[in-house]
Amino acid sequence: MNHIPYPTIAIALVVVAGAYEYYVWTVLPRRYSTGYTGSDDELIAKLERLIKLPALLGSFSRLPARLLLAHKYLFTRRYAEGAAQYKLAVSVPMPHGLLADTQRKLAECLEGCGKHDEAVALTEKAQSSINAGPSTPTSMIAQAKLLYNKQDFAGAVAIYETVSEQIAGATGEENVQVLIHASTSAIQAARPDKAAAFAEQAIAAGASGKYLVLAYSMAATGRENLGDIDKALDYTEKALDCVRPTGDSTELSRLLAKLAGIRRNLGDMRGSLEAAVQAIQVNPKERQAYVQAYFTHLLAGDFAAAQHDIDQLRGCEPSILPGQRARETAIVDMLAASYYAEIGEPDRALAAHTAAMEQFKNDAMMSIHGRSLKVWIAAQLGRFDDMDALISQVEGAFPSISHSRGSLMDNFAYLMAAGLAAKRYDFVLKYHDKYMELKPYSGWRARAMLRAGDAHAALGDTIRARQCWQESADANLDTLACRTAAERLGGIG
């Protein structure tokens, strides 16, 4: 074991004291990094010089600068240099929670260097480091991040919630960072209600700078999922007001993409595409811009453009965190699977779906989403036994996503489409009723009414079919559903 000078022991005893440990090792370095007005390269150069200065207290006293330097290397995709600094850092005795988080970040750098087996081994060491010591905010947050990477989002949310309660009396800045992490995890855990609440707590706690932007953005995501589209728009516009003066093209593009989705859900199809195009112009590699353009093109019935959006997504710059890249690819595969089902190519849909589901085995929300989509694919393929088995699975799983209006609607929409493909019209109407209870936004509502009308027509109920088609057409949107409904009405006089 490395020799630790007596003054370092004294410092360590102070640092490991609960929430103060988290403040010293997480909040202060991030405050310095986010408050720095120079470029990443300039900050990295300063830190590189700093870690070469004589250390009065041994390697321990260089640790904060070394960790911040390694962090900057990681987030500028300089993975080999980040790995070198993190390896030096983990050789210095430090609080066990900090050690675990450092090992986790070293694993990310090793993954970025293509050293997958070493990365897996480091992740296991990080868990061992957490298990070896007492529970502190730093160790609990390290545990939450490990759970997040394993797609146990509900477990991560529970930990962040506990940490937030523990440090509620500490500085607002500490709690803001924890609440932002909690909000992000809650979205993935199909808890938009908690995501919005955590983000709004962060705003109330005095979030500033990039954390205020993140809080507004996450609050908008939660509120949009819950059906409060006006509040979502308000939060998004506030975030844009914060970002525009900074010249941060990455964040501006991401928020414009969010605006595109909100405008679509408000029924403004043209405005949605305009915002998506603006996002792409600001940053051609913004993934969410293509995702939002895809959904708008899909509703509009412009399938060639929707295919183009998926192709562009595949060419986007991957996540800075290498461990998240497989998930990104799987999400694109899932979009492609739904696209192929939409255009009636179930074999291609099944191939894309199979590739996607390999990554979602531990993700409760996406696993249910994928199985509902597969019900539709199975119906198109005429595999009705598979369809029935899958329906039983997804219906049994719905309680686990009962708090997520958006997730439920996605699943119900797939099941309606599956019922039409299988000519099970009562099944279509069953899920149409469930879908409408959730008060879908106008474009999606028009599509659901078209499908319900088609089901009623197949059952011989032309009066109710006409009522449904009329409601779809009356939405008066530039969407395939509205145009098709109008054609249906014209066909029956």
Side-chain angles (χ1 to χ4, degrees):
M1 181 174 178
N2 294 345
H3 173 67
I4 308 176
Y6 176 77
T8 303
I9 296 174
I11 292 172
L13 289 174
V14 175
V15 167
V16 296
Y20 189 67
E21 172 193 334
Y22 178 68
Y23 185 76
V24 169
W25 293 112
T26 303
V27 176
L28 287 179
R30 286 185 184 173
R31 179 188 292 175
Y32 178 75
S33 178
T34 56
Y36 186 75
T37 57
S39 67
D40 283 334
D41 288 342
E42 289 171 339
L43 178 55
I44 285 170
K46 285 180 179 291
L47 291 167
E48 286 173 338
R49 290 194 297 272
L50 184 59
I51 64 170
K52 292 176 183 176
L53 294 175
L56 298 178
L57 300 177
S59 299
F60 186 86
S61 61
R62 289 197 189 100
L63 195 56
R66 190 179 301 285
L67 289 174
L68 183 54
L69 175 60
H71 179 82
K72 296 305 293 185
Y73 280 145
L74 170 58
F75 281 87
T76 52
R77 302 177 188 271
R78 295 166 65 171
Y79 301 116
E81 292 164 289
Q85 292 302 322
Y86 280 129
K87 284 180 179 178
L88 288 170
V90 298
S91 69
V92 178
M94 66 178 81
H96 73 285
L98 179 64
L99 175 61
D101 203 47
T102 304
Q103 290 167 328
R104 179 186 64 82
K105 291 177 180 176
L106 173 55
E108 288 283 5
C109 287
L110 291 171
E111 192 75 54
C113 294
K115 300 178 179 180
H116 177 70
D117 291 342
E118 288 185 50
V120 171
L122 253 297
T123 301
E124 292 173 354
K125 283 187 178 180
Q127 185 61 65
S128 297
S129 296
I130 292 169
N131 296 341
S135 177
T136 67
T138 305
S139 67
M140 292 172 71
I141 289 170
Q143 180 69 78
K145 290 178 178 179
L146 288 175
L147 291 175
Y148 187 97
N149 289 347
K150 294 176 181 178
Q151 300 181 13
D152 182 359
F153 303 116
V157 169
I159 292 175
Y160 284 129
E161 202 164 10
T162 300
V163 173
S164 179
E165 292 170 357
Q166 288 185 0
I167 66 173
T171 70
E173 193 172 0
E174 288 182 71
N175 210 10
V176 162
Q177 293 182 14
V178 173
L179 288 166
I180 293 296
H181 284 306
S183 183
T184 303
S185 300
I187 285 293
Q188 302 298 339
R191 290 302 304 263
D193 53 333
K194 287 194 171 189
F198 290 138
E200 288 164 352
Q201 287 175 45
I203 295 166
S208 61
K210 77 169 189 176
Y211 293 111
L212 179 58
V213 173
L214 285 170
Y216 280 143
S217 179
M218 294 309 302
T221 300
R223 290 298 169 192
E224 184 180 14
N225 189 302
L226 294 168
D228 191 350
I229 194 70
D230 292 331
K231 194 66 176 176
L233 178 61
D234 179 56
Y235 280 133
T236 302
E237 288 176 339
K238 286 179 177 177
L240 282 165
D241 288 343
C242 293
V243 168
R244 284 193 173 105
T246 70
D248 185 340
S249 60
T250 299
E251 198 61 36
L252 178 59
S253 179
R254 188 180 66 80
L255 289 168
L256 286 169
K258 182 178 289 293
L259 181 63
I262 290 172
R263 285 180 175 175
R264 181 185 60 250
N265 287 334
L266 284 167
D268 183 2
M269 304 294 285
R270 178 176 294 181
S272 175
L273 286 177
E274 286 175 354
V277 169
Q278 288 174 18
I280 293 166
Q281 288 172 341
V282 172
N283 178 12
K285 297 298 184 182
E286 173 51 52
R287 303 180 71 85
Q288 279 302 309
Y290 295 108
V291 170
Q292 298 304 334
Y294 165 79
F295 284 119
T296 303
H297 284 136
L298 190 71
L299 275 181
D302 190 345
F303 296 118
Q307 174 71 73
H308 177 73
D309 295 328
I310 291 174
D311 293 341
Q312 292 297 111
L313 261 174
R314 294 197 187 281
C316 282
E317 191 171 53
S319 171
I320 288 172
L321 297 176
Q324 297 297 317
R325 292 176 183 173
R327 178 181 173 80
E328 285 180 344
T329 300
I331 288 171
V332 179
D333 285 334
M334 192 71 82
L335 278 179
S338 66
Y339 168 77
Y340 290 130
E342 194 80 42
I343 64 173
E345 295 188 18
D347 290 316
R348 296 181 74 181
L350 183 60
H353 178 275
T354 301
M357 289 299 286
E358 282 298 311
Q359 292 298 323
F360 295 132
K361 292 176 181 177
N362 298 320
D363 184 332
M365 181 174 71
M366 288 303 296
S367 177
I368 298 167
H369 179 100
R371 280 179 282 172
S372 291
L373 173 54
K374 195 172 181 181
V375 173
W376 186 12
I377 297 169
Q380 289 182 326
L381 291 169
R383 300 177 181 176
F384 301 120
D385 288 343
D386 290 346
M387 177 182 171
D388 290 335
L390 286 164
I391 289 170
S392 178
Q393 291 176 24
V394 297
E395 288 182 335
F398 281 155
S400 68
I401 58 170
S402 61
H403 294 279
S404 179
R405 167 184 167 276
S407 297
L408 286 171
M409 286 197 301
D410 288 344
N411 285 280
F412 295 167
Y414 286 146
L415 295 178
M416 278 190 281
L420 284 174
K423 299 182 180 180
R424 297 183 182 180
Y425 303 114
D426 288 333
F427 184 81
V428 177
L429 297 175
K430 168 187 172 181
Y431 275 97
H432 171 263
D433 290 345
K434 291 178 178 292
Y435 188 83
M436 297 305 287
E437 286 173 4
L438 297 172
K439 297 181 175 16
Y441 295 125
S442 56
W444 304 108
R445 180 184 180 90
R447 188 167 77 155
M449 295 308 298
L450 171 67
R451 287 172 170 171
D454 289 350
H456 283 304
L459 291 169
D461 190 343
T462 55
I463 294 175
R464 296 189 70 181
R466 185 183 184 92
Q467 291 172 341
C468 291
W469 291 333
Q470 189 68 59
E471 183 172 338
S472 180
D474 286 348
N476 198 29
L477 301 173
D478 184 17
T479 67
L480 179 60
C482 290
R483 294 192 299 272
T484 304
E487 290 171 5
R488 298 272 200 274
L489 289 168
I492 62 175

